[in-house]
Structure formats: structure tokens, C-alpha cells
Amino acid sequence: MLVFWKENLVFLAVPKTGTTAIEGALGPKAAMVLRDPPTIKHAPIYRYRRFLKPFFVQAGGQEPETMAVVRDPIDWLGSWYRYRARADLDGHPNSTKNVSFDEFVLEYVKGKPEPFANVGSQAKFVCDGEGQIAVDHLFAYEDQDRLIAFLEQRLDVTLTLPRLNVSPPRAAVLSPAVEAKLRDKRAGEFEVWQAARQSS
């Protein structure tokens, strides 16, 4: 999470959406960089609203605007799948090394997935308790030009995003049946991403 105090903006870091690159590029500009623990670094909108927003409002006398980036749900899951296949997770319950992408996604759509597929929800990250998008500025990961233009204008910077924390290469192709199940069981994920794309 990045807090830009003078610019009255809070960047909420949805995991696996290029947030490490944004933190690397804009960290020096931010008034606060919340890196650890992960529950704070990747605090979703509901946690931000409950714990951090009241403090910021009291300290600054105004309500900061929020922004976040979401990614095509299939690509987002593919990034998690590849990331959890890395060698340092060998033998760990989170490892996807010996799991197919279809198996990973089928586990993900369960109510209580096994640890290797328990990666959260982009929709829950950016929506309120009623399922409404609660972030002021929502961007699609795939529309980097719009994201960069917004940050440059809002923060008065020239921005070049490096590629950081990139998942290792690995095939991640869904079978049509599993993709259909994902779209059915996790329709909200696709709706949030489409909303971000349409705001471009």
C-alpha cells in the first residue's frame, strides 16, 4: 500500500497485478509505504476503511481517494499458479509444482480451497460488503497506458514501470470445461474486471 499524503491518494495493492513494480517506481514519492506484514501491504478496501481510513481522515482532515488495479481473472490465477510453482515452495502446502492448472482452478472455486489454491479474491479486495465496487479509481492491469497516465497526472511524475516479482514461466492453459466452471462460480471476479476495463 502506498499513501500519497499531499496528493490525497491511497494505492491499494491487489496481489499479482504489478504492485511491486509500482511500489518500486513510486515508493520514493509516497509519504508512506506499507510493506509488511502482508495483511497491511495487501489490505483490501474493507480493511482499509475499517482501520486506516479513520486514522488518515483524523490526521489530515480530508478523506483520501483510493485506487487499485485488477487483472483478467484467468491471467491473475495463472500468475498465482506459476508463482507458487517456484523451487523454494517445493514440499510446502502452497506449492503448485505437481498440480495442473485445471486442478488449481477447480480447487480455487471451492468454498474452502486447499492452501495451494487459497489466493483470495480480486472482487472482495475492491468491493464493499454488498458487492459494490468501493475503490474510487479502478484500473485494468491490461490498460497500462491509462494507469500510467493517471499516476503521472495525479502525482506529477514521469513514470516507467520495471518488471519486478515476475512469476517463473510455466504453461497455464485452462480446458474449456474448467474455464466455464470458473466463470460460473466466480462471476463476480469477471464483473469487476470488466468494470475496470469499461472505465478505460
Side-chain angles (χ1 to χ4, degrees), residues 58-191:
Q58 185 178 32
Q62 59 183 346
E63 183 174 317
E65 294 177 24
T66 54
M67 68 169 292
V69 178
V70 291
R71 185 173 182 173
D72 176 326
I74 296 173
D75 289 343
W76 183 73
L77 288 169
S79 183
W80 272 115
Y81 174 69
R82 292 188 296 272
Y83 182 67
R84 290 189 163 184
R86 64 192 193 277
D88 65 317
L89 283 182
D90 284 359
H92 191 280
N94 284 353
S95 176
T96 58
K97 183 176 182 179
N98 298 313
V99 176
S100 73
F101 191 41
D102 272 357
E103 290 170 332
F104 174 78
V105 172
L106 286 172
E107 190 63 36
Y108 169 76
V109 300
K110 292 181 180 178
K112 292 184 178 180
E114 292 296 322
F116 69 83
N118 188 7
V119 296
S121 161
Q122 293 185 104
K124 288 182 180 178
F125 195 104
V126 301
C127 291
D128 60 21
E130 283 71 51
Q132 300 299 310
I133 294 171
V135 174
D136 297 307
H137 306 281
L138 188 63
F139 297 86
Y141 172 86
E142 296 76 12
D143 191 354
Q144 291 288 306
D145 289 347
R146 177 174 168 261
L147 170 62
I148 290 171
F150 173 83
L151 289 169
E152 288 185 335
Q153 188 277 328
R154 183 66 179 257
L155 304 178
D156 192 25
V157 296
T158 299
L159 189 58
T160 302
L161 293 181
R163 285 178 56 82
L164 300 174
N165 199 29
V166 178
S167 298
R170 186 185 189 192
V173 179
L174 279 184
S175 66
V178 174
E179 179 176 339
K181 188 164 188 175
L182 171 64
R183 289 180 180 276
D184 177 56
K185 294 282 191 179
R186 294 289 183 268
E189 303 296 321
F190 291 90
E191 290 166 5

